[in-house]
Amino acid sequence: MQKKHKVLTAIDNTWGTPYFLKPIKLGFDMSIVSATKYYSGHSDVMGGSLAVNKKVFPKVKAAEKITGLRLGPDDAYLITRGLRTLDVRLDRHGENAKKVAEFLSKFKNIKLLYPYKKDSYNFRMWKKYYSGASGLMGLKIKCKNINSVRKFVNSLKLFGYGYSWGGFESLVLHQEYRETGNRKFLNLAKDEHLVRLHIGLEDPNDLINDLKKAVKFIK
Ligand SMILES: *Cc1c(COP(=O)(O)O)cnc(C)c1O
């Protein structure tokens, strides 16, 4: 389809990273990854990478000359240092996330947006293209009282509250706004709420115990 209409294709591969997904091999022209996340792995850097095929390379080169965007040397150092342990960390993020997902799957009011078992959300698509899953997952929570979702989020002790995931630590974020600018999240009903978890490298049993105490607040 995109070939027929000569449309160039790009994918944001930040969630899977090239360790779990190889977009150029799959036929994408460009693959963008935020190095702020898993590449550095410690939430102390800002940067990104762009991998392209031969057809797009001259265009990127020209744009790069015009924009003059450069990565800082300290950031470059931390990103290349982080890359050395990318595979080990991602395997652990995935293992931990799977354990947390299995625990959370017991709650009828929570629908997991994470490909951890056969009948889970987007599992077939994920299985077809990815060799693993990272630590980021969505929780669609069904409940009447939004304050109880806030209480769930705020009572977590081992999860920081924050936006920029991909580091060693676990994070939680309550997506309170259904639409921000031109970005529309899932079609949520009035009694459905979206919470994002990033599962870090901590002991998964500690994370599960933390969630076990907090999940009781959801009503
Ligand atoms: C965070 C994020 C980005 C942007 O990364 P920054 O390096 O923080 O600008 C892009 N894509 C996805 C999927 C992200 O999660």
Side-chain angles (χ1 to χ4, degrees), residues 111-113 121-122 138-141 175 177-179 183-189 192-195:
K111 181 180 163 53
L112 286 164
L113 310 175
Y121 185 76
N122 272 349
L139 274 54
K140 200 161 100 177
I141 299 173
Q175 192 66 61
Y177 305 99
R178 296 179 180 231
E179 287 178 44
R183 221 168 155 189
K184 192 163 192 292
F185 295 95
L186 299 169
N187 283 321
L188 295 174
E192 288 176 330
H193 310 273
L194 196 60
V195 168

Side-chain angles (χ1 to χ4, degrees), residues 12 14-15 34-37 46-47 164-165:
D12 184 329
T14 302
W15 182 81
S34 164
T36 311
K37 310 278 169 61
M46 273 192 87
S164 195
W165 50 280

Side-chain angles (χ1 to χ4, degrees), residues 27-209:
F28 281 94
D29 296 298
M30 298 172 262
S31 171
I32 305 152
V33 178
S34 164
T36 311
K37 310 278 169 61
Y38 285 129
Y39 281 10
S40 68
H42 289 73
S43 309
D44 51 4
V45 168
M46 273 192 87
S49 74
L50 176 62
V52 300
N53 61 16
K54 283 191 181 136
K55 187 170 71 185
V56 173
F57 188 77
K59 296 183 201 291
V60 172
K61 195 100 176 111
E64 182 248 21
K65 260 199 182 150
I66 295 163
T67 61
L69 289 169
R70 295 292 176 273
L71 185 67
D74 291 339
D75 298 68
Y77 165 73
L78 287 170
I79 291 163
T80 46
R81 191 171 75 164
L83 280 173
R84 291 173 186 152
T85 54
L86 181 71
D87 55 346
V88 187
R89 286 184 286 109
L90 274 171
D91 284 341
R92 178 68 183 266
H93 281 292
E95 280 166 31
N96 283 2
K98 193 173 176 196
K99 284 177 188 160
V100 168
E102 273 160 7
F103 166 73
L104 290 173
S105 70
K106 290 183 210 138
F107 298 89
K108 283 202 190 85
N109 51 355
I110 299 175
K111 181 180 163 53
L112 286 164
L113 310 175
Y114 187 73
Y116 69 104
K117 65 169 184 186
K118 256 195 182 138
D119 57 352
S120 58
Y121 185 76
N122 272 349
F123 183 84
R124 272 182 47 202
M125 284 288 274
W126 169 77
K127 191 81 188 155
K128 192 167 167 193
Y129 298 112
Y130 287 78
S131 64
S134 70
L136 194 73
M137 64 175 73
L139 274 54
K140 200 161 100 177
I141 299 173
K142 203 172 166 72
C143 77
K144 291 246 159 17
N145 185 354
I146 193 172
N147 282 325
S148 76
V149 179
R150 291 178 184 138
K151 199 158 182 194
F152 159 65
V153 166
N154 288 330
S155 66
L156 287 165
K157 294 208 161 61
L158 298 180
F159 289 75
Y161 195 79
Y163 221 95
S164 195
W165 50 280
F168 56 89
E169 69 276 72
S170 290
L171 292 176
V172 62
L173 188 74
H174 183 189
Q175 192 66 61
E176 294 238 16
Y177 305 99
R178 296 179 180 231
E179 287 178 44
T180 54
N182 55 6
R183 221 168 155 189
K184 192 163 192 292
F185 295 95
L186 299 169
N187 283 321
L188 295 174
K190 263 205 167 135
D191 62 346
E192 288 176 330
H193 310 273
L194 196 60
V195 168
R196 191 178 79 178
L197 292 182
H198 177 251
I199 306 303
L201 303 175
E202 302 91 342
D203 185 326
N205 295 320
D206 291 343
L207 297 176
I208 288 169
N209 277 332

